[in-house]
Amino acid sequence: MNPFTPIRSGRWTAGLVALAVTAAAALVGLAPAGPAAAAVACTPTSESPTVTLTDTTATLGGKLRFTGTGWCNSVDGGSRIAVKVDDGAYSHVDDSVHANLTVWAIVDAAADDGTFSASITLPDGTTKTSTPAFPTGEHTLRLLTGSLKEDDPARTVQSAAFTVSKPSTPTVAGCEPTTPDATVSLGSTKVAMGGKLKITGTGWCHPTNGGSRIAIKLDDGAYSHVDDSVHPNLTVWAIVDADPEDGAFAATVKLPDGTTKTSTPAFPKGSHTLRLLTGSLKDGDAVRTVQSDPFTVGAYRPNGTPDPINAKKLRKANKHGVTATKKGKKLTVKAPQTKVGSWVYVSLYAKDGSPRYPWPSWQRLGKGHKVTLSLKGKGLTGKARLVVQSGDAGRVGKLLGWTKVKLGKAKTTPGCVGSCGKPPAPAAPGSTTPTDGSGATTATPTAPEPPLASYDALDPGDHGSVKGRLADGVLTVKVGDAAAGSLVYLYVYTPTDTLPVGWATVDDKHTVALDLGSLGASYAGVTVQDSAGALLGWAPVALPATASTADDTATVATTASSAAVAPAAASTAQRVWVGTTDGLLLATGALLLVAAALLTGRRGGSLARHAVPAQ
């Protein structure tokens, strides 16, 4: 479908386009239009080319109108203008209009005076209409000439900003939601191991086609089926179809039985949540993610890892008397204002604010409000901030206090950083402690400042020596200019945040890896800097919605009148799936370095949150 709507009939023609650099005359490889039979004189109505937005607001998938003046060709009539969205940050998904996918549209200015009036259809916010998915918020258009038509001067003009929002909740196709937002409620907060959990929901209307099709995950996809009887994405535990009239549902989810016969890994007792997602199981569905309240299986015990604390909020007023005493290979942590017997989680925060997880399990606070942790084999050195978080029901992740801790001196070899050119040895499956080839603990440089001011400063036409490959939520970043064994620092840029990841050691294939599962349906840019802080390049990331990547033939699970979805059997590959978490992990920079390029930020012990098998 041609997304252009001519406003002044006969004055211009339009179409779509795609994959290019964003500089002024950067439409390399675009075929110039042939000259007309006779040159037409063009008298511009303005000294310089202009673009004016008729609309300053629009919705995802909606129309945006704009006009322009002064777009005359040097020899023949009006110019042919390429239009990009956010300097080419978003591409078409096919070349049905042009081979350069980042050119969102082409406009021909009027031959007599170089004016035009046009409208474009914006992407709908999913990867079905753009790469990456187009978000809400402020955007701009970039208009360029110089390569689409012979004798056109090289020009580039940016429009004023326009704001894109989500369209209002539709009530078409007979679906009228009873609540403005999608909701989920639990029938019970306590369930037996292997038992059935009843859930209900409201507001799950498809924009144009009845009720939504909803994917359900356990603990953000931490537990997988052992076969694909429900869906090829094994972390999708159940699928529910909402009522086509009002978007409500009532369903029953059969939980794993606590063994590896019904889930990978085995489902433990304790606190859990459900994650409900839409956007990929049914064409044209809205992209949503909703987390349930916690429910308890068996005796209460917190599971997983709490959301990281924003290190900038660690102040004297919230230390709450926490102390840490080191004696030999043991570290005794005291939280005097926390009740004895409470569940707690202890972590370390490096100078750059990124978390470390040397003790990846929940602890019970013992006599004297204390818990004793082992330092043996952890390789922890330097100074850090030790953080204590709550694991009690209804308070999981709440800050209980913190203190500064000195963990020992780093062992270094003069003139040598990391493993002296020898890449680090991968951690064993399930391990959280990286090792280096020599067994020595090494100090890392100070974290560099972010190389760019914001996500908008990433140049789509210049990625330096960096390339990225995404598979199953893990981004493998190849850094051509970095030697094996060298240290690199990574930042993740999103449209709203610049997030520090930490130092990593480049492996013998010149790669490092990031677990981006927690991003869900999103997009970002990952920058790579050398040990001196120089930018080596960046890799773009476009993550699809995690609910599904397949079609609508998936097994449909429980509705009010259907049987419960039973877990199925058999798989040997163990994989950690983090799943969509609404950016909660990302918000504090807790992205995870994994596989052969394990974290090596050893000032304070850089420890991966999960061990993920190498690809």
Side-chain angles (χ1 to χ4, degrees):
M1 179 180 70
N2 189 344
F4 269 87
T5 304
I7 296 176
R8 286 195 301 171
S9 178
R11 301 282 291 206
W12 55 275
T13 60
L16 300 179
V17 196
L19 228 177
V21 295
T22 59
L27 305 177
V28 179
L30 298 180
V40 177
C42 182
T43 304
T45 58
S46 60
E47 292 185 4
S48 302
T50 70
V51 58
T52 303
L53 298 177
T54 307
D55 306 309
T56 58
T57 61
T59 59
L60 291 174
K63 298 280 187 182
L64 179 73
R65 297 176 297 166
F66 57 103
T67 61
T69 63
W71 296 90
C72 283
N73 182 273
S74 300
V75 175
D76 182 24
S79 293
R80 176 160 290 179
I81 308 160
V83 181
K84 295 189 177 187
V85 179
D86 292 344
D87 287 311
Y90 304 96
S91 302
H92 283 294
V93 294
D94 63 27
D95 60 354
S96 58
V97 176
H98 202 285
N100 183 340
L101 302 181
T102 66
V103 178
W104 198 256
I106 297 176
V107 174
D108 282 333
D112 57 349
D113 62 5
T115 62
F116 68 82
S117 181
S119 71
I120 60 172
T121 297
L122 297 172
D124 65 8
T126 73
T127 53
K128 294 179 180 179
T129 58
S130 69
T131 302
F134 189 63
T136 57
E138 284 198 349
H139 300 276
T140 59
L141 299 180
R142 172 72 64 180
L143 279 65
L144 308 103
T145 61
S147 296
L148 292 179
K149 184 176 180 180
E150 189 176 357
D151 296 319
D152 250 345
R155 292 171 292 199
T156 173
V157 176
Q158 186 180 51
S159 74
F162 58 93
T163 302
V164 176
S165 60
K166 292 182 179 179
S168 58
T169 303
T171 57
V172 296
C175 190
E176 298 184 6
T178 57
T179 55
D181 298 312
T183 71
V184 59
S185 300
L186 302 178
S188 174
T189 57
K190 292 186 178 181
V191 190
M193 181 66 73
K196 297 177 180 180
L197 178 64
K198 294 182 178 181
I199 60 174
T200 58
T202 61
W204 297 88
C205 279
H206 186 285
T208 59
N209 186 17
S212 292
R213 177 161 288 181
I214 309 162
I216 300 176
K217 296 191 176 189
L218 298 175
D219 294 341
D220 288 313
Y223 303 95
S224 303
H225 279 294
V226 293
D227 68 12
D228 61 358
S229 59
V230 173
H231 196 273
N233 181 343
L234 302 185
T235 67
V236 176
W237 198 257
I239 298 173
V240 173
D241 278 330
D243 190 288
E245 294 185 358
D246 61 7
F249 71 83
T252 302
V253 178
K254 173 74 172 172
L255 298 176
D257 66 6
T259 72
T260 53
K261 293 181 180 179
T262 58
S263 70
T264 303
F267 192 63
K269 294 180 179 179
S271 179
H272 300 276
T273 58
L274 300 179
R275 172 71 63 180
L276 281 67
L277 308 105
T278 62
S280 294
L281 290 181
K282 190 172 182 179
D283 285 344
D285 213 345
V287 176
R288 308 183 191 93
T289 172
V290 177
Q291 186 179 52
S292 74
D293 290 333
F295 61 92
T296 301
V297 175
Y300 176 79
R301 178 189 177 94
N303 286 304
T305 306
D307 293 326
I309 298 294
N310 184 342
K312 293 181 180 179
K313 295 184 179 180
L314 297 177
R315 300 185 177 94
K316 186 176 181 179
N318 55 24
K319 282 190 170 184
H320 299 315
V322 169
T323 60
T325 305
K326 182 174 177 288
K327 186 176 181 180
K329 295 295 182 180
K330 294 186 181 297
L331 185 70
T332 300
V333 178
K334 183 177 181 180
Q337 297 183 26
T338 303
K339 185 179 178 181
V340 171
S342 297
W343 288 102
V344 297
Y345 195 96
V346 181
S347 56
L348 299 174
Y349 282 69
K351 184 178 180 180
D352 63 6
S354 57
R356 308 288 187 258
Y357 300 92
W359 305 285
S361 61
W362 290 93
Q363 314 284 336
R364 283 307 261 288
L365 206 60
K367 184 178 180 180
H369 306 269
K370 297 177 181 179
V371 61
T372 300
L373 306 168
S374 175
L375 297 173
K376 187 175 181 180
K378 302 295 184 183
L380 301 175
T381 61
K383 297 178 180 178
R385 286 167 288 183
L386 181 144
V387 170
V388 182
Q389 292 173 262
S390 175
D392 289 343
R395 292 167 52 86
V396 174
K398 181 178 175 60
L399 177 65
L400 298 176
W402 68 279
T403 188
K404 293 181 180 180
V405 61
K406 188 173 183 180
L407 297 162
K409 296 181 178 180
K411 299 176 182 179
T412 59
T413 302
C416 176
V417 175
S419 305
C420 302
K422 185 176 181 181
S431 168
T432 55
T433 305
T435 60
D436 66 18
S438 65
T441 304
T442 59
T444 57
T446 301
E449 292 296 317
L452 300 169
S454 66
Y455 177 86
D456 293 335
L458 295 169
D459 185 352
D462 185 5
H463 297 285
S465 66
V466 176
K467 296 180 179 180
R469 180 176 64 84
L470 186 68
D472 295 334
V474 175
L475 179 70
T476 300
V477 181
K478 185 168 185 179
V479 191
D481 288 346
S486 63
L487 287 176
V488 293
Y489 196 92
L490 294 94
Y491 280 95
V492 171
Y493 285 80
T494 74
T496 57
D497 292 294
T498 300
L499 311 168
V501 177
W503 291 102
T505 300
V506 178
D507 67 11
D508 55 359
K509 295 181 180 179
H510 303 278
T511 65
V512 296
L514 287 172
D515 181 354
L516 298 177
S518 62
L519 271 175
S522 189
Y523 57 96
V526 178
T527 60
V528 183
Q529 294 166 266
D530 63 19
S531 59
L535 179 63
L536 300 177
W538 72 282
V541 186
L543 287 165
T546 56
S548 167
T549 55
D551 58 26
D552 291 346
T553 60
T555 302
V556 177
T558 69
T559 63
S561 59
S562 66
V565 181
S571 172
T572 55
Q574 182 173 355
R575 181 165 200 72
V576 176
W577 292 82
V578 179
T580 303
T581 58
D582 282 333
L584 293 177
L585 297 181
L586 210 69
T588 47
L591 291 174
L592 314 170
L593 293 168
V594 294
L598 291 168
L599 278 166
T600 55
R602 295 182 175 85
R603 186 187 301 276
S606 180
L607 302 163
R609 186 185 185 114
H610 295 291
V612 178
Q615 302 300 301

